[in-house]
Amino acid sequence: MPDQTLTFTPEQLELLEQVRRQQGLESIQQVAEWLAKQALRKHADRVPGRSRALVLVKRE
């Protein structure tokens, strides 16, 4: 999967830094990944049917 480049305002960076400290993460990149995964989990829970699991699909 290609990398995405994100640009943040100083206010957004401060918020991300707060999340980084709260979650014990090492970098802002890890915060962005963590937040994306949280959003995916939240939306996956809304899908009807049995509980959905997020599984990494490896390309050959």
Side-chain angles (χ1 to χ4, degrees):
M1 180 191 280
D3 288 340
Q4 292 288 329
T5 302
L6 302 174
T7 305
F8 299 109
T9 66
E11 294 83 13
Q12 290 170 327
L13 282 173
E14 179 57 36
L15 184 58
L16 290 170
E17 181 61 27
Q18 290 175 17
V19 173
R20 185 195 68 76
R21 286 191 304 265
Q22 179 186 28
Q23 296 301 318
L25 301 170
E26 295 179 9
S27 69
I28 296 297
Q29 179 179 349
Q30 287 180 337
V31 174
E33 291 172 5
W34 182 82
L35 289 170
K37 288 177 185 179
Q38 289 295 96
L40 286 171
R41 286 185 186 104
K42 180 179 177 181
H43 291 290
D45 287 343
R46 293 182 181 168
V47 174
R50 66 178 186 87
S51 179
R52 304 290 185 235
L54 299 178
V55 180
L56 179 63
V57 177
K58 296 181 181 179
R59 294 184 183 193
E60 296 181 25

